[in-house]
Amino acid sequence: MTQPASLALVRPSLPGLALLRHAFHRAADHVGWLDRLRIARRLRRMMRASLGYEPDLRNPRSFNERIAWKILHDRNPLIPLTLDKAAVRPWVAERIGWRYLVPALGLWDQPGEICWEKLPRRFVLKANHGSGYNAFVTDRDAANRAAILATAAGWLAENYGRRTGEWGYHPIRPRLIAEEYLPGGGAGAVPEDYKVYVFNGRPRLLQVHLGRYTEQRREVFYDPVTLAPLAFGRHRQADCPDYPGPPPEAILLHDLAARLGAGFDAVRVDFYLIGGEPRFGEMTHYSGGATVPLGSTAEDFALGAMWAEAQRKSPAAPG
């Protein structure tokens, strides 16, 4: 059947669609509500692909839907501060004390400012304005300095907030920070990562990351008060027969996370345990970027209900 000429005239050609998309993105770079529309469209597409259900971003119920809503609408000025890996340090120290911070070795605006020879043999180089910007240097003299510094320059050149659409990273001035290298369970290994999910100042889940940066990576959930294993998530304690569970000192993380998480409807606070002593890692307001399933779809919605329950209670005061 021949298409009426009137309809053929209003359907844009492929080049026309490309021009419309380009114009939309140009406008979205300068108009806030258009940018949120662009981010929402991208989030829906990514969430459908990774989570397996159609997300409702207007009336969020699941954990990931609520993370997406936070990305799009929550403009708490403390979010950029606590996402900035450099600026958050005095803020954390004020609430729980400097003793819980990993010692910093330097802070720089450009890789060329780093006095490489003055750094210790082992250290970790990070960018402060995003996620995944880490270089673990186990031997300063043997490391490929030029490659590491080139990578660091690439971190600084990237607008992480623009790439991900996560508002809290937008105001952060990109810088490089070096910290002491924390000992792990073996040669060159990184320590276990303890992530506490805090809702309205109340820690509800303790997630332990085992085998980070390896093919044997596993995440196991525990009760942050009793340290009892929970039947939640993709892995269970039974899936990790070589792991005895978190040490008794992990109970200390509950109160520290509660003090740091007060004043936020939801936040994840990450720690390490070094010789039984807690060390603050980072705070994350956009856990998984709203696209990483912590467990099944039912568990995603159960965690969202936990978040909603916390919001119905009186707001937690900042610590």
Side-chain angles (χ1 to χ4, degrees):
M1 180 176 179
T2 303
Q3 179 171 300
S6 59
L7 292 181
L9 288 173
V10 298
R11 173 178 291 177
S13 64
L14 285 177
L17 285 172
L19 287 173
L20 285 174
R21 281 195 294 267
H22 179 70
F24 170 75
H25 288 296
R26 286 282 300 273
D29 287 339
H30 303 283
V31 181
W33 69 268
L34 276 179
D35 188 40
R36 283 194 295 275
L37 175 61
R38 172 173 59 181
I39 295 167
R41 291 177 59 188
R42 184 169 61 198
L43 277 171
R44 285 194 182 92
R45 183 174 65 251
M46 294 171 63
M47 292 172 75
R48 279 195 299 265
S50 62
L51 304 176
Y53 63 84
E54 183 66 36
D56 185 345
L57 303 188
R58 292 192 175 188
N59 301 289
R61 293 170 52 232
S62 73
F63 176 77
N64 278 293
E65 286 173 342
R66 290 176 179 276
I67 291 290
W69 191 96
K70 193 177 184 80
I71 290 171
L72 293 168
H73 302 291
D74 192 342
R75 298 299 181 258
N76 183 340
L78 282 178
I79 290 178
L81 171 69
T82 51
L83 288 176
D84 185 329
K85 292 178 175 60
V88 74
R89 292 175 60 85
W91 187 89
V92 169
E94 183 180 342
R95 282 152 183 79
I96 64 174
W98 285 100
R99 61 177 289 195
Y100 296 112
L101 287 164
V102 179
L105 305 170
L107 182 65
W108 309 277
D109 290 317
Q110 296 295 332
E113 300 173 3
I114 299 174
C115 296
W116 188 269
E117 292 78 9
K118 293 185 179 180
L119 291 170
R121 186 176 70 86
R122 300 202 303 174
F123 62 92
V124 181
L125 184 66
K126 303 178 178 181
N128 68 315
H129 68 297
S131 179
Y133 298 142
N134 304 303
F136 297 90
V137 179
T138 57
D139 188 331
R140 180 200 61 200
D141 297 329
N144 187 332
R145 185 195 326 191
I148 292 171
L149 296 182
T151 298
W155 297 339
L156 297 179
E158 183 172 42
N159 188 324
Y160 184 85
R162 175 64 63 190
R163 176 168 68 81
T164 63
E166 296 173 0
W167 168 81
Y169 291 103
H170 280 250
I172 300 175
R173 176 165 66 95
R175 291 183 289 177
L176 298 172
I177 183 170
E179 294 179 346
E180 282 191 3
Y181 193 105
L182 298 179
V190 297
E192 293 165 1
D193 205 352
Y194 297 84
K195 302 178 182 294
V196 186
Y197 290 77
V198 184
F199 299 109
N200 198 30
R202 182 183 174 191
R204 298 299 302 271
L205 294 173
L206 169 64
Q207 184 186 41
V208 183
H209 279 216
L210 307 170
R212 286 188 306 148
Y213 310 111
T214 73
E215 295 180 356
Q216 288 75 42
R217 176 171 177 158
R218 296 159 292 173
E219 303 95 26
V220 190
F221 282 93
Y222 297 89
D223 184 297
V225 176
T226 66
L227 303 186
L230 299 177
F232 183 90
R234 289 172 290 181
H235 301 105
R236 304 285 196 269
Q237 176 69 45
D239 299 324
C240 310
D242 56 329
Y243 180 61
E249 294 86 357
I251 291 177
L252 300 172
L253 305 181
H254 177 280
D255 289 347
L256 296 176
R259 286 153 68 182
L260 294 174
F264 299 107
D265 61 339
V267 66
R268 198 191 77 209
V269 188
D270 296 358
F271 295 93
Y272 306 102
L273 282 171
I274 307 300
E277 283 287 317
R279 292 290 182 271
F280 171 78
E282 64 181 11
M283 294 178 70
T284 302
H285 294 275
Y286 310 128
S287 184
T291 63
V292 177
L294 293 175
S296 66
T297 299
E299 289 169 334
D300 193 353
F301 279 83
L303 192 54
M306 190 182 295
W307 184 335
E309 177 190 6
Q311 284 185 303
R312 288 192 292 269
K313 298 181 179 178
S314 58

